[in-house]
Amino acid sequence: MKSLQEKLEHTLDLLRSIRDAHLPGETALAWTGGKDSTALLALWREAAPEHNLAINIDTGCKFPEVLAFRDRMAREWDVRLHIAKPLPEDCPAQIAADKIACCRAMKVAPLRRALSELGVRALLTGVRADENPERAHMREREEREGYVQFNPLLDWTEMDVWAFTVARGLPYCELYDRGYRSLGCVPCTLPSGAGQGERGGRDSEKEARMAELHALGYF
């Protein structure tokens, strides 16, 4: 098993290769405001400071604490932040009633629209393989429709991310101190209960259908 230092060096090597292969305007980091994508943003700033575009998907159902953290860090870290929102006509009449339809309209469609409008050719995500059984099948480099998705933290664990965050003194959203271990939309996110896994507070139906969401373009 690789040490965190070995994973860190591999991730930085991958990030530098992405930087060298793409112009600044062609790359973007999918930044949720969560611990994983914030750790990745810190590494991306180190490896490619001129590549400062980040895309945040704001479904209109996000925790206000996450949005406040996102806006504060965007200012402090000089992030070129593009906020992607669903079109009013795309929003379902009842949020989260149909998990797949809701995520497709509220997350996937705004992301695809943003990538097309911005001309992004490479998208970086903070996805980790140990979050969900479906994500264990993902690869560091994935060809998507119109762009390439890179998952530089794929082999990192939850503890790796927290160890890196603490060691670097990185900021993180206050919700983690209130029992949340994974942050999503308000209707589909609760604090993780005792004995539950990292995503134990996330909607169980959505977690079980992650393969369908991934096929649609959900990261």
Side-chain angles (χ1 to χ4, degrees):
M1 180 177 294
K2 291 181 181 179
S3 68
L4 176 54
Q5 183 60 36
E6 290 173 322
K7 295 176 184 179
L8 177 59
E9 291 172 359
H10 174 76
T11 297
L12 284 170
D13 285 342
L14 175 60
L15 293 177
R16 293 184 188 107
S17 71
I18 297 170
R19 173 201 65 193
D20 294 343
H22 298 277
L23 297 172
E26 296 178 342
T27 62
L29 189 144
W31 185 31
T32 66
K35 64 186 185 305
D36 304 310
S37 58
T38 298
L40 180 59
L41 179 58
L43 288 169
W44 186 229
R45 292 175 74 236
E46 177 181 335
E50 68 279 14
H51 293 244
N52 67 340
L53 174 62
I55 297 175
N56 176 264
I57 303 172
D58 185 353
T59 61
C61 303
K62 295 293 185 179
F63 287 92
E65 294 89 344
V66 174
L67 300 182
F69 173 76
R70 174 201 69 188
D71 293 343
R72 176 171 65 85
M73 294 312 304
R75 292 192 300 270
E76 293 182 7
W77 283 6
D78 192 26
V79 175
R80 179 188 161 203
L81 181 63
H82 180 91
I83 300 175
K85 297 184 178 183
L87 299 175
E89 58 266 29
D90 291 339
C91 296
Q94 186 175 354
I95 301 298
D98 181 328
K99 303 301 189 300
I100 301 299
C102 188
C103 283
R104 181 173 55 230
M106 307 285 279
K107 294 182 176 180
V108 176
L111 174 64
R112 288 186 175 277
R113 197 159 46 243
L115 295 175
S116 177
E117 291 173 356
L118 296 168
V120 170
R121 297 287 179 264
L123 180 70
L124 284 66
T125 83
V127 165
R128 301 189 345 263
D130 68 339
E131 291 179 284
N132 181 286
E134 169 57 27
R135 285 179 168 166
H137 303 297
M138 295 176 69
R139 301 178 301 279
E140 278 190 337
R141 185 184 192 279
E142 298 191 328
E143 292 288 343
R144 294 298 187 107
E145 186 178 343
Y147 66 98
V148 180
Q149 178 174 312
F150 291 95
N151 307 305
L153 302 185
L154 197 62
D155 65 344
W156 289 45
T157 66
E158 180 186 17
M159 289 307 298
D160 288 335
V161 172
W162 279 119
F164 175 76
T165 297
V166 171
R168 293 288 184 96
L170 299 180
Y172 57 86
C173 180
E174 64 191 78
L175 290 177
Y176 289 112
D177 290 332
R178 301 186 201 168
Y180 291 86
R181 291 172 64 185
S182 181
L183 305 179
C185 292
V186 173
C188 295
T189 308
L190 294 170
S192 294
Q196 289 186 316
E198 179 183 4
R199 293 176 73 91
R202 302 294 285 271
D203 184 270
S204 59
E205 180 188 349
K206 177 182 167 183
E207 291 298 296
R209 302 177 70 182
M210 191 62 73
E212 294 175 65
L213 289 168
H214 184 239
L216 290 173
Y218 183 86
F219 56 79

